[in-house]
Amino acid sequence: QVQLVESGGGLVQPGGSLRLSCATAGIIFSASDMAWYRQAPGKQRELVATIFSGGTTNYADSVKGRFTISRDNYKRTQYLQMNSLLPEDTAVYFCNARAQRYGRSTYGSYWGQGTQVTVSS
């Protein structure tokens, strides 16, 4: 079974840092395209950052230069390092994987439950 579990969210002051983790199971992680999304109250879910299986990364303009997405294929985990946090970064952050399940040839899109990030003084 596919499982994505986020951790690392919490309350942080403006200018502070957090590192989010997404541990995965049941997918061929090294061949998966991974991403972080976020959703603030009353707003649509938005793509924050993507890291493709080959290592290429993309960032939303709003977080470029402050956030860094990375992955550890041995731990089958992706990360989002968030620095210089702003109140506007407050949202529920979701891990996403476009991946193949072990034993299957088709791709699926899988989501974690989300972790709350609150940036406030």
Side-chain angles (χ1 to χ4, degrees), residues 86-107:
L86 303 169
E88 301 86 82
D89 297 317
T90 296
V92 177
Y93 284 71
F94 297 91
C95 179
N96 174 263
R98 176 171 168 77
Q100 293 174 286
R101 295 178 62 177
Y102 281 104
R104 300 188 182 186
S105 60
T106 57
Y107 282 85

Side-chain angles (χ1 to χ4, degrees), residues 14-18 38 46 48 59-69 80-90 93 119:
S17 298
L18 285 173
R38 68 185 181 187
E46 65 173 341
V48 176
Y59 297 92
D61 288 342
S62 59
V63 307
K64 194 171 299 182
R66 300 188 298 118
F67 291 10
T68 303
I69 189 170
L80 186 68
Q81 178 67 47
M82 304 184 294
N83 298 327
S84 302
L85 283 162
L86 303 169
E88 301 86 82
D89 297 317
T90 296
Y93 284 71
V119 185

